[in-house]
Amino acid sequence: MIQWSERLKLGIDILDEQHKELFVVTNRLLEAFKKNNAQDQAYEAICFLEEYVIKHFRAEEFYFSKLPYPDKDNHIRLHKEFQRKIEDFKNRHFKTGITPVAAKEISSYLLDWWVYHIENVDRKYADLQARIRYR
């Protein structure tokens, strides 16, 4: 399971709330993987995650356009890579079902990606916004 903690808080309310919701959705997916014969739940959860990240990444990228954010292009590239990874996983396992090995692979990816991305990539933008706001 992936746990929200205050260290992940960026100080941008809408993004923090969306990050919390992404953790809820990710945990729903991880729970579906743990259940035997929960293919429909897992597929439904991954489709919801896929849709929700589009909304979330659009919100982040909207904020990027408001500031001279030097890492914007790289940040957007990382978002696109994440979206491709989720879409690829969904497409590969839609017909064959999600095996325990595949579930472990995507679970590890999601757990690592969210925490790393928020702590290291999103944090750069949030720190820039805070510096500009408090000048």
Side-chain angles (χ1 to χ4, degrees), residues 9-13 15-16 63 66-69 122-135:
K9 191 173 181 180
L10 299 175
I12 303 168
D13 293 340
L15 299 183
D16 287 334
Y63 279 96
K66 300 291 183 189
L67 296 175
Y69 178 42
D122 288 347
R123 173 75 53 212
K124 289 178 192 176
Y125 171 78
D127 290 348
L128 172 66
Q129 184 185 48
R131 282 193 309 272
I132 289 173
R133 186 176 353 155
Y134 295 113
R135 280 187 185 173

Side-chain angles (χ1 to χ4, degrees), residues 49-119:
L49 176 65
E50 184 178 39
E51 290 175 21
Y52 196 86
V53 297
I54 291 169
K55 172 185 169 182
H56 172 66
F57 290 161
R58 281 186 185 147
E60 283 191 358
E61 292 166 12
F62 170 78
Y63 279 96
F64 299 167
S65 69
K66 300 291 183 189
L67 296 175
Y69 178 42
D71 202 34
K72 177 177 91 170
D73 292 339
N74 184 56
H75 201 142
I76 291 170
R77 181 186 59 77
L78 293 171
H79 286 172
K80 289 185 187 317
E81 285 177 10
F82 180 84
Q83 289 173 285
R84 277 192 299 274
K85 178 81 170 182
I86 297 302
E87 182 179 10
D88 178 60
F89 178 83
K90 182 186 79 172
N91 291 338
R92 279 188 294 140
H93 300 288
F94 176 63
K95 290 183 181 176
T96 61
I98 301 169
T99 66
V101 171
K104 184 173 176 141
E105 171 199 330
I106 197 67
S107 297
S108 294
Y109 176 77
L110 290 171
L111 292 169
D112 293 343
W113 199 90
W114 280 125
V115 172
Y116 178 84
H117 186 79
I118 294 169
E119 284 184 328

